[in-house]
Amino acid sequence: MLFPFLRVKTMDIPTLRTLVPVHGVPLSIEIAENWEAVEHFQAQPDDLVISTYPKSGTTWASEIIDMIYSGGDHERCRRDTIYNRVPYLEFRIPGLPSGIEQLNATPSPRLVKTHLPIQLMPESFWEKNAKVIYFARNAKDVAVSYYFFHKIVTALPDPGPWDTFLDYYMKGDVGYGSWHEHVKGWWEKRHDYNILYLFYEDMKEDPKREIRKMLHFLEKEMSDDILEKIIYHTTFDVMKTNEMVNYKTIPNDVLDQTISPFMRKGIAGDWKNHFTVAQNEKFDEDYKWKMSGTDLHFRTEI
Ligand code: A3P
């Protein structure tokens, strides 16, 4: 089955426009073709996985964690771009090193980014009891952020009008599938494995409190001064101007930030500027049904 996703932006990268289901989850055809390698990936006990549904603040969480690993030394965090410091496990685009190739060349302890739903995680992470920080963001802000992301990434399909994209997103016919299934899947298993489940909105509200949770989970200690430094260097405004994290190192024909910056708004509640009243009612109705029976709750504003 192919997902009949919308229109295509360019004709010269025909293979990148198709999502194919991998164990029922729509992933890019490149990832699907490389699936066996992902499935058999060999984790190490000191790997730290940063897992998110796309557009949930992965880059933010990654920079915070790399700063923790660097003892708050922001110059050290400028040693490379975030996508090289925290390789993206399942990433694969022909002509570029795959995430697995990058990880295999990365010394321990490795930071590993993934957007995989929990049921698709390589078994090896659980066998090795590796730690995972799952960073979740409310469904409405993710929808808006994902919409703009589709506009700027050449390899993703043209999202068409917002209303159309929102329908696809609600159905889970987008890369990595249903947001609802993703956040619930990780939540339900958080006590079975070594998982710390955090929220974007909480980090926005009180980064010190949330970074302390990370430190506790990572069994690390840090002075208040260093903690303050990490908070400062990972604020939206500072990260927006930092070329090592704002993706400005990627050429415009791959990621066109003239349309919309990668570091777009970085707030909780921007969905209110995009959802109509009718879209919001429909979304809430669908959400209630899909999230019934879980004790997982999100804030859509702070
Ligand atoms: P918006 O599009 O809503 O602005 P990801 O890294 O998972 O792709 O997520 C990108 C989203 O995280 C974007 O959301 C981006 O602006 C936001 N973001 C990145 N750095 C941030 C920071 N330091 N503080 C708050 N939000 C941040």
Side-chain angles (χ1 to χ4, degrees), residues 52-61 113 115 137 141-142 144-146 148-149 200 204 233-237 239-240 247 261-267 270:
T52 61
Y53 187 85
K55 309 318 292 174
S56 300
T58 327
T59 314
W60 186 19
K113 162 183 163 177
H115 291 314
R137 187 184 194 187
D141 282 327
V142 167
V144 172
S145 187
Y146 214 2
F148 282 98
F149 194 62
Y200 179 102
K204 258 327 266 191
H233 284 285
T234 56
T235 53
F236 180 79
D237 290 343
M239 279 183 58
K240 194 176 168 73
Y247 285 87
F262 176 85
M263 300 287 298
R264 199 181 57 86
K265 285 209 176 162
I267 57 171
D270 183 43

Side-chain angles (χ1 to χ4, degrees), residues 136-156:
R137 187 184 194 187
N138 79 78
K140 293 179 184 177
D141 282 327
V142 167
V144 172
S145 187
Y146 214 2
Y147 171 68
F148 282 98
F149 194 62
H150 276 77
K151 279 176 176 274
I152 69 173
V153 178
T154 317
L156 288 175

Side-chain angles (χ1 to χ4, degrees), residues 166-181:
L166 189 58
D167 267 349
Y168 274 94
Y169 174 78
M170 282 166 62
K171 286 192 216 128
D173 284 348
V174 290
Y176 294 99
S178 155
W179 172 92
H180 312 79
E181 295 308 314

